[in-house]
Amino acid sequence: MTSQFEQHLRAVMGLPLGLTAMTLPSVMVNLLGEDNYDGKAVYHGVEKALGLGGVYIHLYGKSRTRPFRKMGHATIVDGDIHQALERAHQVKALIKIRA
């Protein structure tokens, strides 16, 4: 329906807000820096996670990681919420952010 970005623009410009009905079930997981790692961010497992299908990764461009620092998030969409949740667990297990 209406993306978060478009909805923001509509609100700022005084335009009518768009429809926000869900088009597909989705799950979001935070991508955090690994415990015991502090330094230049190195991303592991991103390509494998993208290969699962229905996975959209949003990295925030932070060059340094710290334990549990939010470095991005992944959104997983699927027609079946249970499949989306399973894929979210897979993404969380695959993507590691270390120094």
Side-chain angles (χ1 to χ4, degrees):
M1 295 285 161
T2 307
S3 74
Q4 186 178 15
F5 176 73
E6 181 182 346
Q7 198 76 308
H8 175 75
L9 288 178
R10 287 174 175 237
V12 170
M13 296 175 71
L15 299 171
L17 298 179
L19 297 176
T20 59
M22 178 172 57
T23 56
L24 280 175
S26 61
V27 177
M28 187 195 86
V29 293
N30 289 325
L31 302 175
L32 306 176
E34 290 289 298
D35 193 14
N36 297 319
Y37 288 91
D38 191 334
K40 183 180 177 192
V42 180
Y43 297 85
H44 302 272
V46 173
E47 287 185 29
K48 285 184 181 180
L50 288 171
L52 297 174
V55 175
Y56 300 89
I57 297 176
H58 311 275
L59 301 176
Y60 301 159
K62 297 174 181 177
S63 60
R64 296 192 58 81
T65 188
R66 292 189 306 270
F68 309 110
R69 182 181 190 197
K70 188 172 179 185
M71 303 296 287
H73 69 273
T75 305
I76 299 90
V77 296
D78 193 288
D80 180 329
I81 188 63
H82 302 292
Q83 292 293 329
L85 283 167
E86 176 60 33
R87 202 165 306 124
H89 289 294
Q90 291 174 321
V91 167
K92 195 76 168 157
L94 282 170
I95 297 178
K96 303 297 178 194
I97 306 166
R98 302 179 176 144

XYZ file of all heavy atoms in Angstrom:
765
model
N 0.833 -1.178 0.000
C 0.000 0.000 0.000
C 0.889 1.257 0.000
O 1.511 1.537 -0.982
C -0.939 -0.018 1.192
C -1.946 -1.125 1.180
S -3.224 -0.745 0.007
C -3.948 -2.320 -0.257
N 1.000 1.950 1.117
C 1.794 3.167 1.197
C 3.030 2.901 2.049
O 2.904 2.458 3.188
C 0.974 4.313 1.827
O -0.258 4.439 1.121
C 1.722 5.622 1.770
N 4.196 3.176 1.490
C 5.427 2.933 2.243
C 5.564 3.938 3.382
O 4.960 5.012 3.365
C 6.646 3.021 1.324
O 6.916 4.374 0.987
N 6.392 3.591 4.327
C 6.668 4.480 5.448
C 7.247 5.802 4.947
O 6.892 6.876 5.434
C 7.636 3.765 6.389
C 7.926 4.485 7.666
C 8.856 3.666 8.564
O 9.485 2.709 8.130
N 8.936 4.051 9.809
N 8.137 5.710 3.961
C 8.753 6.912 3.395
C 7.705 7.807 2.742
O 7.643 9.013 2.994
C 9.827 6.509 2.387
C 10.466 7.674 1.685
C 11.357 8.502 2.354
C 10.167 7.954 0.362
C 11.942 9.583 1.718
C 10.750 9.034 -0.281
C 11.636 9.848 0.396
N 6.861 7.213 1.899
C 5.818 8.006 1.230
C 4.855 8.611 2.244
O 4.461 9.773 2.119
C 5.044 7.146 0.233
C 3.973 7.947 -0.501
C 3.151 7.126 -1.475
O 3.550 5.988 -1.799
O 2.102 7.631 -1.913
N 4.490 7.842 3.261
C 3.565 8.341 4.285
C 4.157 9.560 4.991
O 3.462 10.541 5.258
C 3.268 7.214 5.281
C 2.053 7.436 6.111
C 0.757 7.208 5.363
O 0.536 7.756 4.286
N -0.114 6.414 5.940
N 5.469 9.503 5.277
C 6.142 10.634 5.919
C 6.068 11.872 5.020
O 5.744 12.969 5.489
C 7.595 10.275 6.223
C 8.389 11.415 6.780
N 8.243 11.854 8.070
C 9.306 12.224 6.200
C 9.042 12.893 8.269
N 9.709 13.132 7.154
N 6.387 11.692 3.748
C 6.320 12.827 2.815
C 4.917 13.406 2.746
O 4.740 14.630 2.746
C 6.779 12.402 1.419
C 8.265 12.150 1.250
C 8.558 11.696 -0.173
C 9.081 13.386 1.590
N 3.927 12.556 2.666
C 2.535 13.037 2.625
C 2.212 13.873 3.870
O 1.601 14.939 3.773
C 1.573 11.858 2.533
C 1.540 11.181 1.176
C 0.669 9.932 1.255
N 0.500 9.286 -0.018
C -0.683 9.050 -0.585
N -1.798 9.394 0.021
N -0.750 8.450 -1.757
N 2.622 13.372 5.038
C 2.326 14.078 6.283
C 3.022 15.437 6.317
O 2.407 16.450 6.677
C 2.752 13.223 7.480
N 4.295 15.478 5.936
C 5.060 16.726 5.966
C 4.502 17.749 4.973
O 4.500 18.946 5.249
C 6.558 16.432 5.676
C 7.346 17.703 5.449
C 7.164 15.641 6.825
N 4.013 17.248 3.850
C 3.510 18.143 2.799
C 2.028 18.468 2.953
O 1.449 19.171 2.131
C 3.776 17.523 1.429
C 5.272 17.376 1.149
S 5.634 16.520 -0.379
C 5.118 17.757 -1.566
N 1.402 17.971 4.008
C -0.001 18.260 4.246
C -0.934 17.535 3.284
O -2.080 17.944 3.101
N -0.481 16.452 2.683
C -1.305 15.667 1.757
C -2.070 14.604 2.517
O -1.701 14.222 3.632
C -0.414 15.005 0.698
C 0.376 15.963 -0.192
C 1.382 15.187 -1.048
C -0.575 16.750 -1.083
N -3.154 14.087 1.928
C -3.883 13.001 2.597
C -2.973 11.782 2.797
O -2.152 11.470 1.924
C -5.014 12.661 1.618
C -5.114 13.832 0.700
C -3.749 14.464 0.655
N -3.115 11.132 3.929
C -2.317 9.948 4.193
C -2.811 8.781 3.340
O -3.991 8.682 3.025
C -2.365 9.585 5.672
C -1.803 10.642 6.624
C -1.936 10.170 8.071
C -0.366 10.964 6.297
N -1.896 7.904 2.964
C -2.232 6.752 2.131
C -2.726 5.577 2.949
O -2.666 5.570 4.176
N -3.180 4.557 2.245
C -3.650 3.345 2.889
C -2.472 2.595 3.505
O -1.383 2.548 2.938
C -4.353 2.450 1.873
C -5.626 3.028 1.242
C -6.164 2.077 0.181
C -6.667 3.281 2.309
N -2.697 2.001 4.658
C -1.615 1.295 5.358
C -1.931 -0.177 5.586
O -1.313 -0.813 6.424
C -1.329 1.973 6.709
O -2.531 1.956 7.485
C -0.827 3.383 6.525
N -2.867 -0.719 4.823
C -3.204 -2.133 4.981
C -1.995 -2.997 4.646
O -1.184 -2.662 3.776
C -4.378 -2.494 4.071
N -1.873 -4.112 5.341
C -0.764 -5.014 5.113
C -0.934 -5.704 3.758
O -2.009 -6.192 3.425
C -0.712 -6.065 6.229
C 0.383 -7.066 6.057
S 0.605 -8.179 7.469
C -0.996 -8.926 7.632
N 0.145 -5.717 2.976
C 0.107 -6.416 1.694
C 0.612 -7.847 1.848
O 0.142 -8.743 1.166
C 0.937 -5.683 0.626
O 2.271 -5.524 1.097
C 0.342 -4.318 0.324
N 1.572 -8.063 2.729
C 2.110 -9.391 3.047
C 2.528 -9.409 4.508
O 3.007 -8.399 5.023
C 3.353 -9.694 2.207
C 3.192 -10.168 0.781
C 4.557 -10.298 0.109
C 2.463 -11.491 0.707
N 2.402 -10.552 5.172
C 2.947 -10.642 6.525
C 4.451 -10.387 6.494
O 5.142 -10.789 5.549
C 2.653 -12.086 6.936
C 1.479 -12.490 6.100
C 1.683 -11.774 4.783
N 4.949 -9.698 7.511
C 6.378 -9.392 7.554
C 6.898 -9.456 8.984
O 6.145 -9.310 9.940
C 6.656 -8.014 6.954
O 5.995 -7.013 7.685
N 8.201 -9.682 9.063
C 8.897 -9.749 10.348
C 10.154 -8.903 10.210
O 10.798 -8.903 9.161
C 9.289 -11.208 10.684
C 10.071 -11.280 11.981
C 8.064 -12.099 10.736
N 10.513 -8.171 11.260
C 11.744 -7.387 11.248
C 12.652 -7.885 12.365
O 12.175 -8.153 13.477
C 11.459 -5.908 11.463
C 12.701 -5.047 11.286
S 12.522 -3.392 11.940
C 12.961 -3.658 13.646
N 13.937 -8.025 12.037
C 14.924 -8.384 13.059
C 16.039 -7.345 13.040
O 16.449 -6.873 11.975
C 15.506 -9.800 12.855
C 14.454 -10.851 13.065
C 16.145 -9.950 11.507
N 16.491 -6.964 14.222
C 17.616 -6.046 14.326
C 18.918 -6.789 14.063
O 19.069 -7.950 14.449
C 17.665 -5.406 15.717
C 16.545 -4.428 15.936
O 16.126 -3.739 15.018
N 16.030 -4.371 17.150
N 19.848 -6.116 13.404
C 21.179 -6.663 13.157
C 22.129 -5.944 14.101
O 22.330 -4.732 13.979
C 21.575 -6.464 11.694
C 20.605 -7.088 10.688
C 21.017 -6.743 9.267
C 20.519 -8.593 10.892
N 22.666 -6.681 15.054
C 23.460 -6.101 16.129
C 24.904 -6.551 16.044
O 25.203 -7.657 15.572
C 22.898 -6.535 17.486
C 21.413 -6.272 17.732
C 21.010 -6.847 19.081
C 21.098 -4.799 17.632
N 25.803 -5.710 16.537
C 27.197 -6.089 16.645
C 27.337 -7.272 17.585
O 26.623 -7.372 18.584
N 28.244 -8.176 17.243
C 28.454 -9.375 18.055
C 29.089 -9.027 19.401
O 29.866 -8.077 19.505
C 29.362 -10.350 17.309
C 28.711 -10.990 16.107
C 27.647 -11.994 16.506
O 27.968 -12.994 17.172
O 26.481 -11.750 16.156
N 28.783 -9.837 20.380
C 29.373 -9.697 21.709
C 30.893 -9.888 21.612
O 31.374 -10.701 20.829
C 28.776 -10.746 22.647
C 29.086 -10.473 24.109
O 29.527 -9.360 24.439
O 28.870 -11.386 24.922
N 31.642 -9.122 22.365
C 33.112 -9.199 22.428
C 33.821 -8.668 21.185
O 35.003 -8.934 21.006
C 33.585 -10.637 22.719
C 33.102 -11.113 24.070
O 33.123 -10.358 25.048
N 32.640 -12.338 24.132
N 33.117 -7.963 20.314
C 33.761 -7.369 19.141
C 33.604 -5.856 19.203
O 32.515 -5.343 19.402
C 33.169 -7.902 17.838
C 33.571 -9.317 17.563
C 32.799 -10.377 18.003
C 34.756 -9.595 16.878
C 33.178 -11.688 17.758
C 35.139 -10.895 16.631
C 34.350 -11.938 17.073
O 34.739 -13.231 16.826
N 34.697 -5.155 19.005
C 34.707 -3.704 19.018
C 35.738 -3.252 17.997
O 36.914 -3.578 18.108
C 35.092 -3.193 20.415
C 34.876 -1.703 20.583
O 34.907 -0.972 19.569
O 34.688 -1.272 21.725
N 35.302 -2.531 16.979
C 36.224 -2.069 15.944
C 35.526 -1.919 14.608
O 34.306 -1.743 14.545
N 36.317 -1.973 13.538
C 35.785 -1.811 12.191
C 34.750 -2.903 11.903
O 34.998 -4.085 12.128
C 36.911 -1.879 11.158
C 36.439 -1.654 9.757
C 37.573 -1.721 8.765
C 36.978 -1.560 7.354
N 37.947 -1.877 6.329
N 33.585 -2.499 11.395
C 32.499 -3.446 11.142
C 32.785 -4.297 9.913
O 33.133 -3.780 8.855
C 31.189 -2.687 10.947
N 32.651 -5.607 10.088
C 32.763 -6.565 8.992
C 31.487 -7.400 9.016
O 31.139 -7.977 10.048
C 34.011 -7.465 9.154
C 34.101 -8.456 8.013
C 35.271 -6.615 9.238
N 30.806 -7.445 7.892
C 29.519 -8.134 7.797
C 29.712 -9.527 7.213
O 30.284 -9.683 6.144
C 28.555 -7.323 6.933
C 28.237 -5.976 7.534
C 29.072 -4.877 7.320
C 27.128 -5.807 8.337
C 28.792 -3.646 7.891
C 26.840 -4.579 8.906
C 27.682 -3.505 8.683
O 27.396 -2.296 9.254
N 29.202 -10.545 7.896
C 29.304 -11.928 7.458
C 27.895 -12.483 7.237
O 26.998 -12.226 8.036
C 30.011 -12.775 8.514
C 31.385 -12.292 8.852
N 32.492 -12.702 8.163
C 31.820 -11.415 9.782
C 33.566 -12.113 8.665
N 33.173 -11.323 9.660
N 27.712 -13.247 6.167
C 26.456 -13.956 5.943
C 25.383 -13.184 5.215
O 24.279 -13.707 5.027
N 25.665 -11.976 4.781
C 24.636 -11.157 4.118
C 24.184 -11.807 2.810
O 22.972 -11.905 2.546
C 25.142 -9.713 3.879
C 24.167 -8.925 3.042
C 25.381 -9.021 5.215
N 25.128 -12.272 1.994
C 24.750 -12.877 0.708
C 23.906 -14.130 0.913
O 22.921 -14.338 0.199
C 25.992 -13.191 -0.115
C 26.649 -11.945 -0.682
C 27.826 -12.264 -1.599
O 27.816 -13.338 -2.232
O 28.743 -11.431 -1.659
N 24.258 -14.955 1.877
C 23.479 -16.166 2.152
C 22.066 -15.800 2.609
O 21.096 -16.427 2.207
C 24.161 -17.025 3.204
C 25.362 -17.770 2.683
C 25.937 -18.683 3.750
C 27.153 -19.410 3.198
N 27.753 -20.305 4.178
N 21.958 -14.778 3.452
C 20.644 -14.352 3.932
C 19.785 -13.839 2.777
O 18.597 -14.163 2.688
C 20.793 -13.276 5.013
N 20.384 -13.062 1.882
C 19.631 -12.557 0.733
C 19.173 -13.691 -0.179
O 18.147 -13.588 -0.846
C 20.481 -11.552 -0.057
C 20.700 -10.207 0.613
C 21.728 -9.388 -0.166
C 19.388 -9.447 0.724
N 19.910 -14.781 -0.200
C 19.558 -15.928 -1.016
C 18.344 -16.700 -0.519
O 17.824 -17.564 -1.227
N 17.878 -16.415 0.671
C 16.712 -17.102 1.220
C 15.418 -16.678 0.541
O 14.428 -17.388 0.593
C 16.604 -16.854 2.728
C 17.745 -17.385 3.588
C 17.559 -16.935 5.035
C 17.822 -18.904 3.504
N 15.399 -15.503 -0.054
C 14.186 -14.983 -0.697
C 13.289 -14.261 0.283
O 13.146 -14.687 1.436
N 12.729 -13.159 -0.149
C 11.843 -12.372 0.699
C 12.562 -11.643 1.811
O 11.936 -11.167 2.756
N 13.898 -11.553 1.710
C 14.711 -10.920 2.753
C 15.233 -9.588 2.218
O 15.834 -9.537 1.149
C 15.897 -11.830 3.160
C 16.803 -11.123 4.146
C 15.380 -13.149 3.731
N 15.005 -8.533 2.969
C 15.460 -7.190 2.599
C 16.324 -6.666 3.737
O 15.852 -6.522 4.859
C 14.260 -6.274 2.341
C 13.400 -6.811 1.227
C 12.363 -7.694 1.510
C 13.664 -6.491 -0.094
C 11.592 -8.233 0.491
C 12.905 -7.015 -1.118
C 11.870 -7.893 -0.810
O 11.119 -8.425 -1.843
N 17.586 -6.407 3.429
C 18.545 -5.997 4.448
C 18.807 -4.505 4.344
O 19.029 -3.980 3.248
C 19.842 -6.811 4.313
C 19.520 -8.291 4.561
C 20.907 -6.306 5.285
C 20.659 -9.222 4.366
N 18.773 -3.846 5.480
C 18.985 -2.401 5.555
C 20.135 -2.148 6.521
O 19.972 -2.283 7.738
C 17.716 -1.701 6.044
C 16.490 -2.128 5.301
N 16.114 -1.549 4.117
C 15.595 -3.109 5.563
C 15.015 -2.144 3.692
N 14.679 -3.088 4.542
N 21.306 -1.823 5.969
C 22.479 -1.529 6.793
C 22.582 -0.020 6.963
O 22.346 0.732 6.019
C 23.744 -2.097 6.149
C 23.725 -3.608 5.921
C 24.987 -4.056 5.200
C 23.540 -4.355 7.231
N 22.937 0.433 8.141
C 22.921 1.849 8.468
C 24.208 2.583 8.134
O 24.317 3.775 8.380
C 22.588 2.046 9.946
C 21.246 1.468 10.356
C 20.976 1.180 11.679
C 20.239 1.207 9.416
C 19.756 0.666 12.071
C 19.018 0.681 9.795
C 18.778 0.408 11.124
O 17.572 -0.108 11.508
N 25.193 1.892 7.575
C 26.423 2.549 7.142
C 27.383 2.899 8.267
O 28.297 3.698 8.065
N 27.197 2.307 9.423
C 28.117 2.568 10.539
C 29.411 1.804 10.280
O 29.389 0.616 9.981
C 27.490 2.123 11.859
C 26.220 2.894 12.197
C 25.556 2.327 13.428
C 24.265 3.086 13.738
N 23.555 2.512 14.884
N 30.527 2.490 10.397
C 31.809 1.859 10.078
C 32.405 1.084 11.252
O 33.255 0.228 11.055
C 32.809 2.909 9.595
O 33.027 3.874 10.603
N 31.944 1.367 12.465
C 32.489 0.683 13.644
C 31.373 -0.054 14.379
O 30.253 0.435 14.476
C 33.149 1.681 14.595
C 34.370 2.362 13.966
C 35.194 3.134 14.973
N 35.694 2.351 16.078
C 36.782 1.562 16.033
N 37.447 1.446 14.908
N 37.187 0.912 17.105
N 31.727 -1.217 14.868
C 30.781 -2.007 15.645
C 31.228 -2.083 17.093
O 32.409 -1.894 17.400
C 30.632 -3.428 15.064
O 29.562 -4.089 15.743
C 31.912 -4.236 15.165
N 30.273 -2.308 17.956
C 30.493 -2.549 19.385
C 29.518 -3.662 19.774
O 28.547 -3.911 19.065
C 30.189 -1.290 20.206
C 31.154 -0.147 19.982
C 30.914 0.987 20.984
N 29.552 1.485 21.014
C 29.093 2.477 20.257
N 29.890 3.091 19.397
N 27.849 2.879 20.358
N 29.729 -4.288 20.918
C 28.794 -5.325 21.336
C 27.358 -4.809 21.384
O 27.072 -3.785 22.006
C 29.298 -5.712 22.732
C 30.762 -5.418 22.681
C 30.861 -4.165 21.836
N 26.495 -5.474 20.645
C 25.055 -5.218 20.624
C 24.663 -3.853 20.050
O 23.513 -3.415 20.225
C 24.453 -5.436 22.011
C 24.842 -6.766 22.593
C 25.720 -6.838 23.662
C 24.372 -7.944 22.044
C 26.113 -8.062 24.193
C 24.764 -9.168 22.554
C 25.624 -9.230 23.633
N 25.564 -3.173 19.358
C 25.224 -1.911 18.698
C 24.333 -2.221 17.501
O 24.621 -3.110 16.701
C 26.486 -1.195 18.227
C 26.189 0.142 17.581
C 27.449 0.829 17.096
N 27.156 2.200 16.705
C 27.942 2.936 15.963
N 29.115 2.472 15.546
N 27.602 4.174 15.650
N 23.238 -1.480 17.346
C 22.334 -1.701 16.216
C 22.998 -1.193 14.942
O 23.239 -0.002 14.787
C 20.993 -1.013 16.444
C 19.975 -1.378 15.375
C 18.599 -0.857 15.714
C 17.630 -1.222 14.602
N 16.312 -0.641 14.826
N 23.282 -2.123 14.043
C 23.996 -1.815 12.804
C 23.064 -1.815 11.593
O 23.450 -1.397 10.508
C 25.105 -2.837 12.590
C 26.106 -2.928 13.744
S 27.037 -1.411 13.989
C 28.121 -1.472 12.579
N 21.850 -2.284 11.768
C 20.894 -2.341 10.676
C 19.718 -3.207 11.078
O 19.555 -3.567 12.247
N 18.900 -3.536 10.080
C 17.794 -4.462 10.331
C 17.487 -5.218 9.054
O 17.906 -4.807 7.969
C 16.557 -3.736 10.883
C 15.868 -2.845 9.898
N 16.232 -1.532 9.700
C 14.845 -3.088 9.046
C 15.444 -0.991 8.778
N 14.598 -1.919 8.353
N 16.774 -6.306 9.191
C 16.323 -7.082 8.044
C 14.813 -7.209 8.137
O 14.262 -7.422 9.221
C 16.972 -8.459 8.031
N 14.153 -7.054 7.006
C 12.718 -7.257 6.917
C 12.494 -8.510 6.083
O 13.075 -8.654 5.008
C 12.031 -6.046 6.262
O 12.379 -4.861 6.988
C 10.525 -6.209 6.248
N 11.654 -9.393 6.572
C 11.367 -10.640 5.890
C 9.878 -10.663 5.593
O 9.049 -10.456 6.486
C 11.750 -11.864 6.775
C 13.256 -11.850 7.090
C 11.372 -13.154 6.090
C 13.636 -11.122 8.322
N 9.530 -10.897 4.319
C 8.127 -10.957 3.923
C 7.826 -12.331 3.327
O 8.668 -12.936 2.672
C 7.756 -9.845 2.912
C 7.896 -8.469 3.533
C 8.591 -9.944 1.651
N 6.603 -12.797 3.583
C 6.160 -14.086 3.054
C 4.638 -14.127 3.178
O 4.083 -13.519 4.096
C 6.806 -15.229 3.853
C 6.647 -16.573 3.173
O 5.506 -17.100 3.159
O 7.647 -17.096 2.646
N 3.997 -14.852 2.308
C 2.547 -14.993 2.385
C 2.089 -15.725 3.638
O 0.935 -15.616 4.038
N 2.978 -16.453 4.266
C 2.686 -17.226 5.470
C 3.540 -16.674 6.617
O 4.770 -16.728 6.562
C 3.025 -18.697 5.208
C 2.768 -19.608 6.391
O 2.897 -19.164 7.557
O 2.454 -20.786 6.145
N 2.907 -16.162 7.656
C 3.633 -15.540 8.759
C 4.567 -16.535 9.445
O 5.654 -16.170 9.902
C 2.672 -14.891 9.794
C 3.448 -14.079 10.835
C 1.801 -15.931 10.466
C 4.204 -12.914 10.292
N 4.191 -17.806 9.510
C 5.050 -18.803 10.145
C 6.335 -19.014 9.343
O 7.417 -19.166 9.924
C 4.294 -20.113 10.342
C 3.058 -19.948 11.176
N 3.100 -19.645 12.522
C 1.748 -19.992 10.839
C 1.877 -19.527 12.984
N 1.027 -19.733 11.995
N 6.225 -18.988 8.016
C 7.409 -19.086 7.168
C 8.288 -17.850 7.330
O 9.515 -17.943 7.346
C 7.009 -19.259 5.696
C 6.358 -20.586 5.389
C 7.324 -21.746 5.535
O 8.512 -21.617 5.315
N 6.794 -22.893 5.927
N 7.665 -16.680 7.439
C 8.421 -15.439 7.637
C 9.188 -15.488 8.957
O 10.358 -15.092 9.021
C 7.485 -14.228 7.599
N 8.549 -15.986 10.010
C 9.216 -16.101 11.306
C 10.388 -17.083 11.243
O 11.464 -16.812 11.790
C 8.219 -16.547 12.378
C 7.269 -15.475 12.882
C 6.134 -16.099 13.687
C 8.017 -14.445 13.712
N 10.197 -18.202 10.570
C 11.279 -19.179 10.428
C 12.456 -18.568 9.676
O 13.612 -18.717 10.060
C 10.767 -20.429 9.699
C 11.842 -21.449 9.422
C 12.535 -21.987 10.667
O 11.889 -22.097 11.729
O 13.739 -22.289 10.584
N 12.157 -17.850 8.598
C 13.220 -17.212 7.822
C 13.912 -16.129 8.646
O 15.121 -15.941 8.545
C 12.659 -16.630 6.524
C 13.740 -16.468 5.490
C 13.241 -16.245 4.077
N 12.328 -17.271 3.642
C 11.087 -17.031 3.203
N 10.624 -15.804 3.124
N 10.301 -18.008 2.823
N 13.178 -15.427 9.494
C 13.771 -14.400 10.364
C 14.799 -15.038 11.304
O 15.883 -14.482 11.513
C 12.688 -13.692 11.166
N 14.479 -16.213 11.840
C 15.441 -16.918 12.700
C 16.680 -17.322 11.902
O 17.804 -17.227 12.404
C 14.789 -18.145 13.332
C 13.768 -17.811 14.373
N 14.072 -17.193 15.569
C 12.429 -17.985 14.388
C 12.977 -17.016 16.274
N 11.955 -17.486 15.579
N 16.475 -17.735 10.653
C 17.612 -18.096 9.801
C 18.499 -16.888 9.541
O 19.728 -16.982 9.605
C 17.121 -18.676 8.474
C 16.463 -20.022 8.594
C 15.870 -20.479 7.272
O 15.314 -19.687 6.513
N 15.988 -21.763 6.989
N 17.882 -15.747 9.240
C 18.641 -14.518 8.970
C 19.445 -14.134 10.198
O 20.632 -13.804 10.112
C 17.690 -13.369 8.544
C 18.395 -12.021 8.572
C 17.107 -13.648 7.173
N 18.822 -14.188 11.353
C 19.501 -13.829 12.602
C 20.709 -14.738 12.845
O 21.745 -14.288 13.331
C 18.503 -13.924 13.760
C 18.931 -13.258 15.004
C 18.798 -11.779 14.907
C 18.969 -11.161 16.278
N 19.369 -9.794 16.216
N 20.586 -16.016 12.496
C 21.687 -16.958 12.683
C 22.793 -16.756 11.644
O 23.965 -16.989 11.937
C 21.164 -18.388 12.622
N 22.425 -16.317 10.453
C 23.403 -16.166 9.362
C 24.240 -14.901 9.456
O 25.448 -14.917 9.228
C 22.696 -16.165 8.007
C 22.249 -17.520 7.466
C 21.349 -17.318 6.245
C 23.447 -18.377 7.114
N 23.601 -13.776 9.766
C 24.304 -12.488 9.705
C 25.004 -12.204 11.026
O 24.391 -12.142 12.087
C 23.341 -11.341 9.346
C 22.760 -11.576 7.951
C 24.065 -9.991 9.403
C 21.766 -10.538 7.500
N 26.314 -12.030 10.923
C 27.145 -11.703 12.077
C 27.947 -10.443 11.737
O 28.467 -10.310 10.637
C 28.117 -12.846 12.412
C 27.428 -14.168 12.682
C 26.532 -14.098 13.896
C 25.815 -15.414 14.120
N 24.725 -15.290 15.061
N 28.014 -9.516 12.685
C 28.749 -8.271 12.490
C 29.863 -8.241 13.522
O 29.620 -8.159 14.719
C 27.829 -7.047 12.630
C 26.639 -7.203 11.668
C 28.611 -5.761 12.353
C 25.502 -6.258 11.919
N 31.075 -8.353 12.998
C 32.261 -8.451 13.855
C 33.311 -7.448 13.408
O 33.265 -6.922 12.327
C 32.839 -9.855 13.772
C 31.854 -10.922 14.181
C 32.445 -12.288 14.061
N 31.498 -13.263 14.559
C 31.349 -14.460 14.030
N 32.080 -14.835 13.010
N 30.479 -15.286 14.544
N 34.299 -7.263 14.257
C 35.429 -6.402 13.918
C 36.521 -7.226 13.251
O 36.588 -8.414 13.415
C 35.984 -5.738 15.162
